[in-house]
Amino acid sequence: MIKEKAKKKWDLTRKMLEITDDEYNGVTQEDANLRFVKMKLQIAVYYMQLLDEHDSEYQVPWNKEQFKWALRKPVGDKKKEQAKDWCHQCCLMCDKACTSWSYGEVKTA
């Protein structure tokens, strides 16, 4: 899948994961927890976009309901752990898949 097509596939998800000014400037533990969850899921989406760019097979580690649940307040330790786990799973999938990616010849000066 070409880079632009892969990026477009994840546009809506990335929009849902944007950290708003209120969340960014929030000083409560709830705000901090939500920022943490969103950042971990942003990283996970980045890994899946890389997999798409290289036409790699993968299984998204969450479904629609689980994703919405993770972003719904209140956000506590369970949701933080789940987001961290999903991010780690995506990282491992990307690490495993990238061994077969062809980058072509790297030109040096």
Side-chain angles (χ1 to χ4, degrees), residues 60-73:
V60 178
W62 61 77
N63 62 34
K64 188 176 182 179
E65 290 76 32
Q66 290 171 321
F67 186 79
K68 288 181 179 179
W69 166 82
L71 298 176
R72 195 176 315 124
K73 291 184 178 184

Side-chain angles (χ1 to χ4, degrees), residues 14-27 31 34-35 38-39 42 73:
R14 275 196 308 279
K15 186 142 185 86
M16 290 174 66
L17 294 173
E18 286 178 356
I19 298 172
T20 65
D21 288 341
D22 287 341
E23 293 165 352
Y24 185 78
N25 296 322
V27 294
D31 293 328
L34 186 57
R35 282 192 304 267
K38 284 188 172 186
M39 285 190 282
Q42 286 171 356
K73 291 184 178 184

Side-chain angles (χ1 to χ4, degrees), residues 72-86:
R72 195 176 315 124
K73 291 184 178 184
V75 179
D77 290 340
K78 185 175 182 180
K79 291 180 180 180
K80 285 173 55 180
E81 281 300 314
Q82 186 63 68
K84 188 169 75 171
D85 183 53
W86 287 335

Side-chain angles (χ1 to χ4, degrees), residues 5-102:
K5 193 174 180 181
K7 186 176 179 183
K8 193 172 186 172
K9 175 182 176 181
W10 292 102
D11 276 349
L12 181 61
T13 305
R14 275 196 308 279
K15 186 142 185 86
M16 290 174 66
L17 294 173
E18 286 178 356
I19 298 172
T20 65
D21 288 341
D22 287 341
E23 293 165 352
Y24 185 78
N25 296 322
V27 294
T28 66
Q29 186 62 45
E30 179 75 20
D31 293 328
N33 289 347
L34 186 57
R35 282 192 304 267
F36 178 87
V37 166
K38 284 188 172 186
M39 285 190 282
K40 287 296 180 184
L41 293 177
Q42 286 171 356
I43 295 166
V45 167
Y46 169 77
Y47 286 131
M48 289 187 287
Q49 185 176 328
L50 282 177
L51 291 166
D52 283 338
E53 288 174 13
H54 292 277
D55 290 323
S56 298
E57 296 277 330
Y58 66 92
Q59 177 71 34
V60 178
W62 61 77
N63 62 34
K64 188 176 182 179
E65 290 76 32
Q66 290 171 321
F67 186 79
K68 288 181 179 179
W69 166 82
L71 298 176
R72 195 176 315 124
K73 291 184 178 184
V75 179
D77 290 340
K78 185 175 182 180
K79 291 180 180 180
K80 285 173 55 180
E81 281 300 314
Q82 186 63 68
K84 188 169 75 171
D85 183 53
W86 287 335
C87 184
H88 185 67
Q89 288 177 37
C90 292
C91 178
L92 292 176
M93 285 188 287
C94 202
D95 283 350
K96 185 177 179 181
C98 76
T99 59
S100 64
W101 295 346
S102 173

